[in-house]
Amino acid sequence: MKSPKLKEIVGPLKNVVNVALPLVQAPALYEARSTLLFEFPYATEVVDFALADLVGRETVHLRPLLIVGEPGGGKSRFARRLGEVLDVSVWRSDASRSDGASFGGTDRRWYSAEPRRAFLAIAQGRIANPSYSREGA
């Protein structure tokens, strides 16, 4: 790491590079479902769809979930609470001001040493299976 910029970027991430991080265990689904439905009684289909990925799994693994709705409808709050209920760290990124480079990478991002958001979510939560949420209007 000869570059000062590289040292600045990678330095705080050393605690997760080449380190075996734990996977978060899946909670009791009936409890997670009950908690989410109590707070979001209008979102039964979304809750069931999100939790369906965890049936029969020992660890938390969610497919990407796109929640569409009017501003102020609770999409961001639901994504945050889903992560809290599942006990996974959540990294939120505003998709309305993003060109996708921060998530999937583009020439501009590959050119720099800046890590992708998925890695930053792992580093922030210090778990191997964080939740990544891109939200837009």
Side-chain angles (χ1 to χ4, degrees):
M1 291 197 318
K2 294 179 182 178
S3 164
K5 179 69 173 169
L6 186 59
K7 286 181 184 179
E8 178 184 325
I9 292 170
V10 177
L13 304 174
K14 283 184 178 180
N15 61 348
V16 294
V17 174
N18 292 325
V19 174
L21 297 172
L23 290 169
V24 173
Q25 299 297 305
L29 292 183
Y30 66 90
E31 290 177 9
R33 185 176 189 270
S34 294
T35 300
L36 290 169
L37 288 179
F38 179 77
E39 295 179 41
F40 305 95
Y42 52 85
T44 304
E45 289 181 42
V46 176
V47 170
D48 289 344
F49 182 83
L51 295 179
D53 287 342
L54 302 178
V55 174
R57 292 191 60 92
E58 290 184 25
T59 59
V60 174
H61 175 78
L62 300 173
R63 289 177 289 164
L65 177 63
L66 175 63
I67 305 171
V68 179
E70 296 296 319
K75 301 178 299 292
S76 297
R77 185 171 174 275
F78 175 78
R80 186 172 41 255
R81 280 298 290 151
L82 177 63
E84 290 170 357
V85 168
L86 299 178
D87 199 28
V88 294
S89 119
V90 175
W91 180 280
R92 293 182 56 224
S93 179
D94 185 357
S96 66
R97 290 187 268 164
S98 172
D99 62 0
S102 62
F103 182 72
T106 64
D107 289 342
R108 182 183 68 187
R109 201 143 188 102
W110 291 335
Y111 178 77
S112 73
E114 189 176 353
R116 294 189 294 184
R117 299 295 187 224
F119 178 73
L120 293 174
I122 291 169
Q124 172 189 312
R126 295 196 43 83
I127 57 172
N129 54 344
S131 175
Y132 182 86
S133 172
R134 288 188 73 203
E135 298 160 9

